[in-house]
Amino acid sequence: MARLARRPGEPRPSTGARSWRRAGSWWRLGTRSVAGQVFLFQAVIVLLLVAAAATAVVLQAHRDSQQEATNRSLAVAGTFANSPGMVAALLSPDPTAILQPRAEAARKLSGVDFVVVTNAQGIRYTHPNPSRIGQHFVGNIKPAQEGHAFTARNVGTLGPAVYAVVPVFGPGHKVIGLVSAGITIAKVSTAVEQQLPVLLGAAAGGLLLTTAGTVFMNRRLRRQTHGLGPTEMTRMYEHHDAVLHAVREGVLIVGGDGRLLLVNDEASLLLGLPPDPEGRYVSELGLAPETERLLTSEEVADDEVVNSGERQLVLNRRPTDRAGGPPGWVTTLRDSTELRALSGRAERARGRLALLYEASTQIGTTLDVTRTAEELARVAAPRFADFVTVDLAEPVLSGKEPGPRAGEALRRIAVHGVAADSPLYRVGTEFSLVPFSPQSESLVIGEPVLTGDLRSSDTWSRHDPERGELLLEYGFHSFITVPLLARGVMLGMVNFWRARRPEPFEQDDISLAGELAGRAAVCIDNARRYTHEHTMAVVLQHSLLPNRLPEQSALDLAYRYLPAESGVGGDWFDVLALPGARVALVVGDVVGHGVHAAATMGRLRTAVANFSALDLPPEELLGHLDELVSRIDAEEQDADAPVEDGSAPRPSEGRTAVTGATCVYAVYDPASGLCTVARAGHPPPALVHPDGTAEFLDLPAGLPLGIGGLPYETTEFTLEEGSRLVLYTDGLIEDRAWDIDVGFDHLRTTLTGTPGQDPDATCEAVLHALVPDRPNDDIAVLVARVRRLDADRIAEWTVPHDPAAVAAVRAQVSRRLTEWGLAEAAFTTELVLSELITNAIRYASGPIGVRLLRDRTLICEVSDTSATSPHLRAAAATDEGGRGLFLVAQFADRWGTRYTARGKVIWTETALPRHGG
C-alpha cells in the first residue's frame, strides 16, 4: 500500500498527533483490508468465548461450593458423633466440660465453622461462642431426633451456610443427643475468585496474539506486493502478457466449462488455431481428436506426445485450482520434432551400450561351454533380436580345437527367444552347412553377414528348404549370422533372427552383433580350453590314483573320489600292504588345482609307496615327505627365476607353485589290533566303534608338508574288531556355507548310530550328507573296517640266547605247521628260521622272539634287540659263513627288515601250498 505523503508547506504535526494519526490511519486501512477484517472477527470470537467460559466457571464453582460444604459438614458431624467416649460424655453429669474442648478441636482441625452437640431436645452442650451454650439449637432437628442424619441450608449468624445433624444413640438404640457441623458457603467459594484472574489473563493474551497476527499478516501482504499500487500492478500485468506471447512455448488456459480462456501466439501457431479463439469451446477449434481429448479431459498429462500436422508436440497439463485458484486447466506445448529424431538415435545408442555392458557382466560367468552359449542367447533376445541361436562345432564341447567350414557338422547348443514354439532347430540338433549360404560365407570370411529380406533370398535355407518355408510362415524376415572366432580358432556361429518386430536388421546392427559375438567367442574359447585342461587333469589324476586295492585280510575297504567342479585338485589316497599282514592307509591333499597339482600328487603317492616299502614308522615317513615337498617347492622357484641373460623364463602353462600339502598315515596290525597314526596338518581320522558311537582320533596336528620345522609324532590305538576307520580330505568338511567345526559335527552325526554298516554304505552316507551338488574342492574318502587275525593263526615263541635251543624251536614250528595243514612247508620254514635265529644268537644280545602268522602267505618273523641290519652278499669259496641270508632269500618269496623301538624284526613270506588254508 502506498504511504501517505505530507503536502509542501504543511506544518509537521506533533508527536502525539502523529501517533493518533498513525493509529487512525492503520485502523482505516486495517478495517478495509482482509487482515483487519480477520482481526475484528477473531476479537469478537475471543470475547464471546471468554464470556461463555467465565459464566460456565462461575456456575460450576457455585455448584461445587455447595456440594463441598454439604459433604464436609456431614462428614465432620458423623465422625464426631461416632467418636469414642461420645455416649459416656452425653450421659455424664457435665457433658459441656467434656465435649466443649473436643468440639473446638474438631472444628479447627476440619475447617468447618461450628461443631455443636445438643441433647435429644436440642439444648446446646457446645458452641464456638460459649455464651450460647445451654440455648436451643437454631434450625430443624426433627429428622435427627427420629434417628436420621440429614443436611440443610439456612442463614445463620455467620451467613448462608450448610449444616448437617447426626443423632447419637445410647443404650437401647435410643437417641440421647445430636451433633451438628456446619460451614458457610462463602468459605468454600474462594476457588472462583482464584480462577477468574487466570481466565481474564488468558482472554487478554488471546487478544494480544490476535492483534500481533493481524499486524504480521498486514505487513506480509505489503511485502509480497512490494508496496505496489493499482497502477503499478496494471503495468506489471501488461509486462506479463507481453512475455506470455513472446515465449517459444505454447500456453493455453481452459476454464472449468471447457472454454478457452487464454492462448499465446506460440500455441496458436503450433495448433493452427483460428483467429480470436479465446472464449470459444475447445471442441469448436477443429483440433485433432487426440489433442482435443487431452485438452478437455480431467487427467494430468506429463510429456504426452501429440501430432499436429507434421509436427510432434510435447504436451503437459495441470489443474489451476490446486492452490485455491479458479477451476480450469493450464496446458503447455513445445515442438519436439527435431529433438525427437535426435533423441531416438541417442536412445538407440544408449541401449546398445547398455546391452554391451550387460553382456560383459552376464556372458562367461562360468567356465562351461554350453552355459556360456546360453548366456549369449539370453542377453541378446529379446532386446536385440527376437530369437538367437548358437551353433558350435562338435570338438568344442570336448575341449578340442575345431575348424568348422562349409560342409562340416555343427551342433545347436542354445536357442532363446520371445516364444517357445518357433520352427528353429532344437537344442542338440546336428546339421551341416552348404556352400554359398550366408552361414557358410560368414564362417569362410570370418565376418558377419546380413540377410535383410529372407523372402527375396533362398540361399540361407538351401541346406533345409522345408525348414526355411516354416520359418517364413512363422514370420521370420531378417537375420544376421556372425562367426564365433577367438584367438584364430573358429568355434561356430551365432544367428540373430527377427520375426515379431517389424523393422528388419540394418547395417548399423552388424557392429553390435559382432561385438556380442566377439565377447562370447572369447568366453566360449576360455571355457573350451578349461574343459580341455580339466579333462586332461581328471584323466591324469585318475591314472595316478590306485586302480585297485591290494589283496589283504586285515581290512574291509571302500573309497570314493569326487573331483571339484571348478578344477581338479591334488587329493589322493592309497592302501599299501606291509610285511606281517599289516596294512598302511594314507590320505593326502596337495595345495592348488590343475594338472600341476595332480602331477605333484602322483609324485607324493609314489614316494609314500617307496617309503612304505622300507617299512618306516609313520613319523619318519612323514618327515621324508616333508623334505620331498620342500624340494619340489625349491625346484618350482628355480624354474620361475630369471635365466642368466636376465630374461624371465616362460612359465609353464597352468602351473602354480606348491606351497604345501597335508597327509595322514596309519598302519594297522591285525595280529595285535594296534593302529599307529601320524598326521601332517591333515584333518584327524574318525573312528566308529562297533556299537555305533563315533569320535575323532586325538592326534598331534603336525605342520603341513613342505613347511619344515618340528618333527612329527605318532599315536597308537588298539582297535576292536568291527571298528571303522574313516580317512578323508578337507573338501568333505569345509564349505562356504558353514564353519569347519560345523563340518566336523555333521560328519560325526552322520557316522553315529550306524553299527555294523559296511564300508561301502558308510561312504555313500557320508557323501550324501555332506557333499553339495557342486563341490568347490576335491573330496577323497577311505573307509576301513577292522579285522583281527584269529588266535589259532598266530604262533609265538621266545628263544633263549643259546644255539642249542634252535633245535627245540624247529620241532615246535614243525608241529604247528602240521596242525595248520602246512606240513609240506615245514622243511623250508625250519631252514629259514634256523638261519635267522642262529644269526640273531650270533650277532645280537638279549631275548629273541619268533612269530609265525598264517595269513594269505606264511609269515615268519624273528625279532632281537640289535639295530644292525643284515646284508645279503655272495660268500667266497674260502669263506666259512655268509651263506645263511643267501639261503633265506632263495627259499622265501619276500624278506626284509623293519625296525622297532626295541630293536629290529627280520621277516620272510612264503606262499602257502595250494591245499593249505
Side-chain angles (χ1 to χ4, degrees), residues 553 793 817 819-823 854-858 911-917:
S553 304
R793 289 177 173 263
L817 292 177
E819 294 174 1
W820 285 347
L822 303 176
R854 181 190 172 196
D855 192 38
R856 294 178 179 272
T857 60
L858 182 60
L912 298 176
R914 292 185 179 275
H915 62 275

Side-chain angles (χ1 to χ4, degrees), residues 28-100:
R28 290 191 301 273
L29 294 176
T31 53
R32 289 197 301 266
S33 66
V34 175
Q37 295 172 2
V38 170
F39 168 72
L40 291 178
F41 181 70
Q42 290 177 341
V44 171
I45 290 177
V46 169
L47 292 176
L48 291 176
L49 290 176
V50 170
T55 303
V57 168
V58 171
L59 294 177
Q60 183 64 35
H62 182 67
R63 287 195 300 269
D64 292 345
S65 299
Q66 290 184 351
Q67 186 64 37
E68 175 64 19
T70 301
N71 294 340
R72 190 184 300 184
S73 60
L74 183 61
V76 172
T79 301
F80 195 78
N82 293 285
S83 62
M86 175 59 70
V87 175
L90 290 175
L91 298 177
S92 65
D94 190 2
T96 299
I98 299 173
L99 296 177
Q100 177 67 12

Side-chain angles (χ1 to χ4, degrees), residues 799 806 828-844 848-852 859-864 870 884-889 892 894-897 904-909:
V799 182
V806 176
T828 303
T829 304
E830 291 177 19
L831 179 60
V832 169
L833 285 177
S834 296
E835 293 297 332
L836 294 179
I837 295 172
T838 302
N839 283 340
I841 293 174
R842 179 179 300 176
Y843 299 108
I848 298 172
V850 177
R851 185 170 72 164
L852 288 182
I859 303 170
C860 302
E861 296 180 346
V862 176
S863 61
D864 57 52
L885 201 58
F886 182 79
L887 292 176
V888 171
R894 297 174 59 212
W895 75 280
T897 305
K904 68 176 182 298
V905 176
I906 302 177
W907 56 269
T908 65
E909 289 186 5

Side-chain angles (χ1 to χ4, degrees), residues 162-184:
V162 176
Y163 67 92
V165 181
V166 177
V168 179
F169 296 96
H173 198 69
K174 182 180 180 182
V175 177
I176 62 173
L178 306 176
V179 177
S180 176
I183 186 172
T184 59

Side-chain angles (χ1 to χ4, degrees), residues 315-360:
L315 182 148
N316 288 274
R317 192 164 183 263
R318 295 289 185 276
T320 58
D321 57 356
R322 283 188 174 181
W329 294 83
V330 58
T331 304
T332 60
L333 302 167
R334 64 177 183 275
D335 191 354
S336 65
T337 306
E338 297 180 359
L339 181 61
R340 195 76 175 179
L342 292 175
S343 63
R345 289 193 292 269
E347 185 65 26
R348 287 195 297 271
R350 185 163 50 250
R352 292 183 176 184
L353 290 176
L355 180 60
L356 290 176
Y357 174 77
E358 185 175 345
S360 65

